[in-house]
Amino acid sequence: MSSETPSQKPRVAVVFGGRSSEHAISVVTAGAVLAAIDREKYDVLPIGITTDGRWVLTADAPERMAITDRKLPNVAELSGSAEGTVVLPVDPTSREVVYSEPGTTPKVLGEVDVVFPVLHGPYGEDGTLQGLLELSGVPYVGSGVLASAVGQDKDYMKRVFTSFGLPVGPYEVVRPREWEQAPAAARKKIVDFAGEHGWPLFVKPARAGSSMGITKVDALSGLDAAVAEARRHDPKIIVESLLTGREIECGVLEFEDGPRASVPAEIPPVSDHSFYDFEAKYIDSASGIVPAPLAEEQTARVRELAVAAFEAASCEGLVRADFFLQENGEFVINEINTLPGFTPISMYPRMWQESGVSYPELVDRLIQAALRRSTGLR
């Protein structure tokens, strides 16, 4: 942390938006985080990343970052300049942020003590931003490079879980070169998987979130369109079998003595949607049940598995772990989110609210955990 006089407050840069298909959800999340940060305790610098990758200063206006009348917000609308850019330092001896516009002298905005990244998906949640911050020597909220990359790639995430003995469901991966160079063989690979595990299947981008690009495929006739939709978000796709059972989620938060799990939540079946897709999550405001109506031993088990997943992937700060509770009473882990949504209806903050940690306290704990950590190997 930079040297401070007692009167100075730590400066938090909230970085949001980004180049992924989850840009709008990141903006919504940033609005909620900005509204919750204690301005008596922290100075705040909102930095947006446009869909084409430009870093900009934005209005500190949480009320403009919500989904309104089904319209999704974006960083460009919040930026005060169509050409101005923000540059983070790449020199670990300096944490000064610089703002520049064409034809003007660059303006030093001051030092940043910690970055609160609320980017979802590639170019933000996947270790890329975390690598930049490591090079800059700036502490940040959430997991490091490796855990962020593992948490973003459902293929390697499942491989890590399997190696630690955590239960995962059946899946198959089709890599970009397979589909591009031998599409018939790649298609047969998926059909053979369906022959073994049955229809329907879920075809997903391997490295996307917020249920973007996911299709439930009930028969062979819908396969090619589902693959095309998934590949629109990511050239690497993952195919998963249908897991019947209850959808259970659990939050993990880093405390001073290590990670702890929240009370779990249950995502009930959504009547107007074939699965818990983007529209159900963010547009139609599907409600989860918090806490989940589970037996005491089931609650203890899912909390244990959530922390085990956090540790297996070497996570830091926070994680939302998603499970299926199967009819035989066993839990299967579906995935983790290293930067889960913080929208007003998001499950992660709701689970911690029910666990006795309010939204403002949750945000404060994440910032404090980041300030306690050093960058580099740890």
Side-chain angles (χ1 to χ4, degrees):
M1 190 169 165
S2 60
S3 59
E4 298 176 356
T5 66
S7 62
Q8 290 178 315
K9 297 178 285 190
R11 198 172 199 205
V12 182
V14 178
V15 180
F16 62 98
R19 294 161 56 193
S20 84
S21 56
E22 298 174 82
H23 177 97
I25 296 308
S26 174
V27 177
V28 176
T29 296
V33 170
L34 286 168
I37 292 179
D38 184 353
R39 305 308 175 96
E40 297 294 320
K41 190 171 183 178
Y42 304 104
D43 285 328
V44 176
L45 181 67
I47 299 176
I49 303 177
T50 63
T51 53
D52 60 1
R54 185 167 60 96
W55 291 50
V56 300
L57 280 180
T58 73
D60 185 3
E63 69 281 357
R64 292 174 55 194
M65 299 181 182
I67 298 173
T68 306
D69 296 328
R70 304 178 76 89
K71 183 180 183 297
L72 301 175
N74 66 76
V75 165
E77 294 174 347
L78 299 165
S79 174
S81 169
E83 297 182 314
T85 59
V86 172
V87 179
L88 286 182
V90 290
D91 178 358
T93 64
S94 170
R95 294 181 182 171
E96 289 188 336
V97 176
V98 176
Y99 175 77
S100 62
E101 290 191 61
T104 65
T105 302
K107 178 183 178 183
V108 176
L109 299 178
E111 292 194 346
V112 166
D113 295 287
V114 63
V115 169
F116 198 131
V118 290
L119 295 121
H120 304 305
Y123 315 112
E125 189 180 352
D126 60 350
T128 50
L129 176 65
Q130 289 74 14
L132 172 64
L133 296 173
E134 293 286 352
L135 290 173
S136 302
V138 180
Y140 54 92
V141 168
S143 290
V145 174
L146 174 65
S148 297
V150 168
Q152 186 64 37
D153 190 315
K154 296 178 179 64
D155 174 14
Y156 287 98
M157 180 198 305
K158 291 176 187 291
R159 291 173 186 267
V160 167
F161 290 159
T162 300
S163 72
F164 277 82
L166 296 172
V168 303
Y171 70 98
E172 186 62 84
V173 175
V174 179
R175 290 173 170 75
R177 191 176 295 113
E178 292 180 88
W179 192 263
E180 291 157 9
Q181 297 184 359
R187 193 169 187 271
K188 183 177 184 301
K189 184 178 180 180
I190 300 173
V191 172
D192 289 346
F193 178 81
E196 181 178 357
H197 298 286
W199 301 92
L201 303 174
F202 287 92
V203 178
K204 305 180 178 182
R207 297 164 291 192
S210 295
S211 298
M212 291 285 192
I214 299 178
T215 305
K216 181 181 179 183
V217 184
D218 295 308
L220 180 60
S221 58
L223 181 59
D224 285 353
V227 170
E229 172 59 16
R231 282 175 53 81
R232 201 166 61 82
H233 297 267
D234 184 354
K236 179 181 178 182
I237 67 170
I238 188 166
V239 180
E240 297 174 350
S241 64
L242 174 67
L243 292 176
T244 57
R246 298 162 63 187
E247 292 191 50
I248 306 295
E249 298 185 348
C250 191
V252 181
L253 177 64
E254 182 181 343
F255 285 75
E256 290 81 357
D257 60 351
R260 302 181 196 171
S262 69
V263 300
E266 179 169 4
I267 307 300
V270 186
S271 59
D272 294 335
H273 301 264
S274 61
F275 63 98
Y276 195 43
D277 61 6
F278 178 88
E279 291 266 329
K281 284 182 179 178
Y282 299 109
I283 304 298
D284 294 336
S285 305
S287 297
I289 304 169
V290 190
L294 298 171
E296 187 176 336
E297 61 272 16
Q298 290 175 323
T299 295
R301 176 59 175 161
V302 76
R303 295 177 75 177
E304 175 190 14
L305 286 171
V307 171
F310 182 97
E311 298 282 37
S314 299
C315 295
E316 295 168 290
L318 71 164
V319 149
R320 192 194 72 231
D322 301 344
F323 299 86
F324 287 101
L325 175 55
Q326 300 182 105
E327 293 176 355
N328 62 5
E330 297 296 321
F331 284 98
V332 170
I333 186 165
N334 184 37
E335 64 180 31
I336 58 171
N337 248 271
T338 56
L339 282 173
F342 270 78
T343 68
I345 62 168
S346 293
M347 298 309 300
Y348 185 84
R350 285 185 59 196
M351 288 186 286
W352 279 108
Q353 177 77 40
E354 288 293 325
S355 304
V357 180
S358 69
Y359 195 109
E361 182 186 350
L362 178 60
V363 169
D364 183 64
R365 282 192 171 277
L366 289 169
I367 294 171
Q368 289 298 317
L371 287 169
R372 287 195 300 269
R373 291 196 302 266
S374 63
T375 53
L377 299 177
R378 53 189 183 273

